[in-house]
Amino acid sequence: MPELPEVEALSAYLSERLTGRVIARVQPVAISALKTYDPPVTALEGRTVGPVTRRGKFLDIEAGGLHLVVHLARAGWLRWKDSLPAEPPRPSPKNPLALRLRLEGEAGDGFELTEAGTKKGLAVYVVKDPAEVPGVARLGPDPLDPGFTVEAFAALMRGDRRRIKGLLRDQSTLAGVGNAYSDEVLHVARMSPYKIAASLTEEETVRLYEALGGTLRDAVERSRGLAAGELKAEKKLGLRVHGRTGQPCPVCGDTVREVSFADSSLQYCPTCQTGGKPLADRRMSRLLK
Ligand SMILES: [Zn+2]
């Protein structure tokens, strides 16, 4: 799933290509992806694109007073096309194409939103105000916002009885961090994903805050200037523990382990994060019974 750094890079990439251009056609293909109907998507046609920004993990494309807001979810992606085919896209269960946006001009350039797999989560909204999108209205503070100080972060942790892994991923607590970067942040901070937020000492709070900002800024820096098609590979390369079960930890050489849940899994290094003790994994214990 694209998280803050990838969506940040995507918004910069799109900003260069879209801002100042006029939208010619917007064609939804997967109707389930379209979450709003008033104003209709066609209302974007003929409008000039303004700023393209990121809100948490949402992309916000402003065009003449309207906003095309996109959430790529788990398997959604954006592909830039220098020349889109003239014929309208045909919906089919096997077609990963969810929406096509073509710009005015002879080249017929623009982008396509695609979504692989059967679990459809990609969401597209056309609204007058981004706050009309429930997921945007709920967003907590953005960790890259200059106003997001260590004091603001400490206030979020204070009194919160949740495990820090869950807290970091909760979009209404903190905007933009998902499963991958929360694993990375916790590895950099040398903290167990199961640690309770309220139990953090002042020193630990500062360490986690610095790991959060540092990890995200590094990832944004690495993604800067990359084309949409290169972002996924760059993300994978930069990860230290996420998705690396069984591989050596790049810091200490211990084996990266995982805990699996119904629809996700987390990865961590026991030596760096849990005092050398592996965390209980329900799936593993079931297999061992
Ligand atoms: Zn390690």
Side-chain angles (χ1 to χ4, degrees):
M1 172 191 280
E3 298 179 29
L4 185 153
E6 294 79 46
V7 182
E8 180 78 22
L10 264 182
S11 74
Y13 176 86
L14 285 178
S15 192
E16 273 178 34
R17 282 158 185 81
L18 293 178
T19 304
R21 300 281 308 273
V22 175
I23 297 172
R25 291 293 302 276
V26 186
Q27 298 165 305
V29 183
I31 297 304
S32 62
L34 194 59
K35 305 299 178 196
T36 54
Y37 56 90
D38 182 26
V41 279
T42 48
L44 291 162
E45 297 173 0
R47 293 183 194 241
T48 304
V49 179
V52 181
T53 51
R54 175 185 64 79
R55 294 170 189 272
K57 293 187 247 180
F58 290 82
L59 264 178
D60 177 4
I61 301 166
E62 195 275 343
L66 291 180
H67 294 257
L68 175 66
V69 179
V70 177
H71 190 261
L72 292 165
R74 187 171 282 200
W77 199 242
L78 182 146
R79 290 182 193 153
W80 183 262
K81 301 271 179 168
D82 289 328
S83 172
L84 287 161
E87 69 274 13
R90 220 181 297 152
S92 99
K94 281 188 187 154
N95 192 350
L97 187 58
L99 180 135
R100 179 183 283 167
L101 183 146
R102 176 199 291 268
L103 296 166
E104 261 182 17
E106 267 180 35
D109 54 350
F111 66 77
E112 290 181 340
L113 296 175
T114 61
E115 186 173 37
T118 48
K119 268 194 182 173
K120 299 297 183 191
L122 186 133
V124 178
Y125 309 79
V126 181
V127 288
K128 293 194 180 92
D129 178 352
E132 290 172 50
V133 176
V136 171
R138 270 199 305 272
L139 287 176
D142 194 288
L144 293 191
D145 187 323
F148 188 66
T149 59
V150 67
E151 289 80 18
F153 181 66
L156 291 182
M157 301 288 127
R158 209 173 292 136
D160 196 317
R161 300 296 309 163
R162 284 179 293 171
R163 292 168 168 173
I164 42 178
K165 167 75 182 175
L167 184 152
L168 290 173
R169 285 183 67 181
D170 178 357
Q171 298 305 296
S172 59
T173 304
L174 206 60
V177 179
N179 198 27
Y181 286 100
S182 53
D183 278 353
E184 296 298 296
V185 167
L186 291 168
H187 183 253
V188 171
R190 307 187 307 279
M191 266 176 218
S192 167
Y194 285 1
K195 202 169 177 62
I196 302 298
S199 77
L200 259 63
T201 63
E202 209 179 310
E203 185 273 327
E204 287 170 331
T205 305
V206 173
R207 195 174 356 131
L208 185 56
Y209 172 79
E210 284 172 354
L212 175 67
T215 302
L216 295 174
R217 273 190 292 271
D218 280 357
V220 167
E221 208 47 56
R222 279 199 310 273
S223 312
R224 201 184 295 281
L226 288 183
E230 298 166 331
L231 284 169
K232 272 194 227 176
E234 177 56 43
K235 176 183 178 183
K236 246 186 157 172
L237 273 179
L239 299 173
R240 298 154 47 127
V241 287
H242 184 78
R244 298 197 180 277
T245 308
Q247 295 176 30
C249 164
V251 173
C252 72
D254 191 2
T255 304
V256 172
R257 292 187 175 247
E258 78 172 22
V259 181
S260 49
F261 305 97
D263 62 348
S264 71
S265 62
L266 67 81
Q267 281 85 34
Y268 68 101
C269 166
T271 297
C272 292
Q273 296 176 256
T274 55
K277 273 185 235 144
L279 297 168
D281 181 47
R282 270 185 300 173
R283 192 188 58 172
M284 280 309 291
S285 31
R286 215 169 40 238
L287 289 173
L288 293 174
K289 256 177 206 165

